[in-house]
Amino acid sequence: MQIKVNKKEKSQLDIEVEVPVETVEKVFLRAFKKLAYQVEVPGFRRGKIPRKIFEQRYGKEPIKEEAIKELYPLVYKKVLEQEKINPFSYPRMEVIKLSEGEPALIKLEIPLKPEIKIGQYKKIKVKRKKIEVSEKEVTQQLERLQKNYVEYPPLLENRPTQKGDWLALQMRLVLPDKPFAKTKEENIWYKLGSDQLPPSFHRELLGAKIGDEKIIETTLPPDHPRKDLAGKKLSFNVKVKDIRKEKMPLLNDDFAKKLNFKDMKSLKEKIKEEIRKIKEKEEEERIKTRIIEKILENSDIEIPSLLIQRGIEDEMDKLKEQLKKRELDLPSYLKQQNMDEEKLRKLFKDKVEMELKTLLLLDEIAKKEKIDVTEEEVDKRLEMMVEGENKKEKIKRLKEELAKKNNLNSIIYRIRNEKVIDFLYQQADISGGILLT
């Protein structure tokens, strides 16, 4: 094989490989034999079908696709051996030319371990922000707690609905092109006046009574995830099954006693203490992030562009999956966020680059400072993932399962990275920020 190496980046090789005709022929032959054993053709034993008949039935493309699968590892192994390359991650490979009876041309992009030049990482100066808890924050948390104990007693009389009432609705969509078709009935609770349903529901249901039935019309927006209904005027057959009035508990000593506190004052003090603890933890995480940012600012780490591109595509795929669960597509999401795909990819690029640089930085510092993870630390982390009795046995089995699936190392690396970050935090020069209670 003729191999041409171009080093366009410090940490990535671009390689072109010309594969000789003899190798190409052997690869196509192996590919056909493999496929011949996978098909059943009347009149021929498995694996004995003549190639001409195979191609008449299935075409030449399956053989070429299988030949590419055979060729990739062969070429990659030869490149690594001949050029003595130690790859940092798996390559990207592309077939430029592949036909029987001709030399093949394959292009590879191989990421190398980046050269890492770490700047100062001890005694990093960071200012701690003051921690304050306002009366407003305590009140807001108290109101959230109050909502957890709201009651919905039935009405004593069958009065008309009022704004703020909770209505039990039985709903059925009437399809515009199939008015007599039976569609699935849905039972929902709707707070009258909320944005849970379109405004037309509030208008039509305000003043209704239990047992009333309404035909409510609404027009769905053009970017609605249901493409078949987007932009269409729809009708819903709605029946009011029940009406409940929201009853909030009074925020007094009786409410506090219900939560096992002496009085409202002691409940407020506890809430204030919990908010302060959360803020302290958040500030600690902010400081740790800032320490890493400062170290990276004084360090030189070049990430292979291939790894960044892969990371961007992974982020895009994850976002699309999340949007799918919300019945949204990417164009609709971008419109909501007032951005285009180019800007989104730029945001993901910055995120991916930062994450990869951070991982490489932590790995290098761990080696320099000889920070390792003990068996006891792994077991302690796994203990959080098991329940019940016989925890030692369960931890042992869990560890074996994770090792089989190659997932144990990711837990070990996570623990080690946390230890490195804690080390950097302890070594940092943190000033200011009197903790206020």
Side-chain angles (χ1 to χ4, degrees):
M1 292 185 192
Q2 292 182 18
I3 300 172
K4 184 182 177 184
V5 180
N6 298 308
K7 194 170 185 181
K8 292 182 179 177
E9 302 176 27
K10 286 181 185 177
S11 53
Q12 186 167 305
L13 297 177
D14 289 357
I15 298 172
E16 284 188 0
V17 182
E18 186 179 287
V19 184
V21 178
E22 307 81 57
T23 306
V24 172
E25 294 299 310
K26 287 177 184 176
V27 165
F28 268 89
L29 182 60
R30 282 203 301 270
F32 166 66
K33 284 183 176 179
K34 186 175 180 181
L35 292 174
Y37 271 99
Q38 294 174 6
V39 297
E40 290 185 15
V41 180
F44 297 97
R45 284 181 293 152
R46 190 182 288 272
K48 297 299 181 181
I49 178 175
R51 182 164 175 178
K52 188 176 180 181
I53 294 175
F54 180 95
E55 289 179 356
Q56 285 173 354
R57 274 180 163 258
Y58 305 105
K60 293 182 178 182
E61 198 59 31
I63 301 174
K64 185 176 180 179
E65 288 174 4
E66 190 61 38
I68 291 171
K69 292 177 188 176
E70 292 271 338
L71 194 58
Y72 272 180
L74 190 70
V75 170
Y76 186 47
K77 184 181 178 185
K78 187 68 176 176
V79 168
L80 296 185
E81 288 174 352
Q82 188 170 315
E83 300 299 321
K84 295 181 173 54
I85 296 169
N86 185 21
F88 183 61
S89 181
Y90 61 94
R92 175 160 61 197
M93 301 180 74
E94 180 186 358
V95 174
I96 306 299
K97 185 176 73 171
L98 179 62
S99 298
E100 288 187 84
E102 296 179 21
L105 188 61
I106 309 292
K107 184 182 176 183
L108 295 88
E109 292 177 21
I110 302 179
L112 306 175
K113 183 171 183 181
E115 293 178 13
I116 302 171
K117 294 177 183 175
I118 301 179
Q120 179 187 344
Y121 60 86
K122 293 180 181 178
K123 303 297 180 186
I124 299 295
K125 291 186 178 183
V126 182
K127 281 190 177 181
R128 187 191 299 274
K129 292 180 181 178
K130 288 182 180 180
I131 304 293
E132 295 179 298
V133 180
S134 68
E135 193 62 38
K136 184 181 178 182
E137 288 173 306
V138 174
T139 301
Q140 286 173 341
Q141 183 58 31
L142 197 57
E143 287 172 352
R144 282 192 284 269
L145 193 61
Q146 181 189 30
K147 286 177 183 176
N148 291 339
Y149 291 88
V150 67
E151 295 176 348
Y152 302 93
L155 298 179
L156 298 175
E157 55 178 331
N158 187 12
R159 63 159 174 78
T161 61
Q162 302 169 358
K163 186 178 180 180
D165 284 345
W166 281 90
L167 314 184
L169 303 177
Q170 186 182 74
M171 296 172 58
R172 184 173 64 81
L173 171 64
V174 181
L175 295 171
D177 49 347
K178 299 175 184 176
F180 300 106
K182 284 195 173 183
T183 55
K184 185 181 176 183
E185 284 187 348
E186 289 191 37
N187 294 287
I188 66 163
W189 280 97
Y190 163 60
K191 187 175 183 179
L192 196 56
S194 71
D195 59 1
Q196 179 188 351
L197 294 173
S200 54
F201 280 78
H202 171 70
R203 290 194 299 270
E204 293 295 328
L205 294 171
L206 187 64
K209 290 186 176 182
I210 294 172
D212 284 0
E213 289 192 45
K214 302 266 186 177
I215 299 292
I216 301 176
E217 294 182 339
T218 187
T219 302
L220 295 183
D223 59 350
H224 193 273
R226 280 283 300 270
K227 301 296 180 187
D228 56 326
L229 301 177
K232 290 186 178 180
K233 190 175 183 180
L234 302 179
S235 297
F236 290 87
N237 190 314
V238 181
K239 183 176 183 180
V240 180
K241 302 282 286 182
D242 196 3
I243 305 171
R244 298 290 179 106
K245 187 70 180 173
E246 191 175 87
K247 184 182 177 183
M248 287 281 191
L250 294 174
L251 294 176
N252 52 25
D253 289 344
D254 288 338
F255 178 73
K257 286 172 184 175
K258 193 182 288 186
L259 301 178
N260 298 320
F261 287 89
K262 182 183 174 184
D263 50 27
M264 182 54 67
K265 183 183 176 183
S266 59
L267 173 57
K268 283 185 174 182
E269 285 172 353
K270 180 63 176 176
I271 290 172
K272 190 172 186 178
E273 180 189 341
E274 291 301 318
I275 294 173
R276 180 178 56 78
K277 283 180 181 177
I278 291 168
K279 286 192 169 189
E280 284 176 8
K281 186 64 181 170
E282 287 173 348
E283 178 58 10
E284 183 181 311
E285 292 303 313
R286 186 196 69 81
I287 290 170
K288 287 177 177 178
T289 300
R290 187 64 191 127
I291 289 168
I292 290 169
E293 286 173 350
K294 283 198 163 193
I295 298 169
L296 285 174
E297 285 167 10
N298 298 315
S299 301
D300 183 16
I301 305 172
E302 184 182 328
I303 305 295
S305 58
L306 177 57
L307 297 189
I308 295 172
Q309 191 56 43
R310 276 185 191 149
I312 293 169
E313 295 308 320
D314 286 345
E315 292 292 334
M316 291 294 290
D317 289 342
K318 279 190 278 186
L319 175 62
K320 286 172 185 174
E321 278 300 312
Q322 290 166 3
L323 294 176
K324 195 175 177 182
K325 290 174 185 175
R326 290 163 51 190
E327 296 186 336
L328 267 178
D329 57 17
L330 186 61
S332 303
Y333 170 78
L334 292 171
K335 189 177 178 181
Q336 283 181 3
Q337 300 298 315
N338 194 26
M339 70 166 72
D340 56 22
E341 189 171 333
E342 186 181 351
K343 186 178 177 182
L344 178 65
R345 285 180 174 273
K346 175 66 171 63
L347 291 173
F348 282 151
K349 180 181 180 292
D350 295 341
K351 177 177 181 282
V352 167
E353 200 165 0
M354 180 67 176
E355 287 174 353
L356 290 172
K357 283 185 176 182
T358 299
L359 290 173
L360 288 165
L361 176 76
L362 297 178
D363 186 60
E364 196 69 15
I365 294 173
K367 289 173 185 173
K368 280 180 177 287
E369 298 295 333
K370 295 180 172 57
I371 298 173
D372 293 312
V373 177
T374 65
E375 199 76 22
E376 290 75 18
E377 288 170 325
V378 175
D379 288 349
K380 191 175 179 181
R381 181 61 57 91
L382 296 181
E383 188 178 353
M384 297 163 66
M385 300 165 68
V386 299
E387 295 178 347
E389 299 176 354
N390 302 319
K391 282 195 173 183
K392 282 187 178 180
E393 186 59 35
K394 287 179 179 178
I395 290 169
K396 184 183 174 183
R397 286 201 302 269
L398 178 58
K399 196 184 290 185
E400 288 170 356
E401 287 170 16
L402 290 168
K404 280 180 187 176
K405 296 175 183 176
N406 294 320
N407 290 331
L408 187 60
N409 278 341
S410 63
I411 292 173
I412 294 170
Y413 287 140
R414 200 177 305 136
I415 297 169
R416 191 204 59 179
N417 288 345
E418 288 169 7
K419 288 179 72 174
V420 176
I421 293 170
D422 287 339
F423 167 79
L424 295 173
Y425 181 77
Q426 290 157 11
Q427 293 289 320
D429 182 2
I430 302 168
S431 61
I434 301 167
L435 298 180
L436 301 179
T437 58

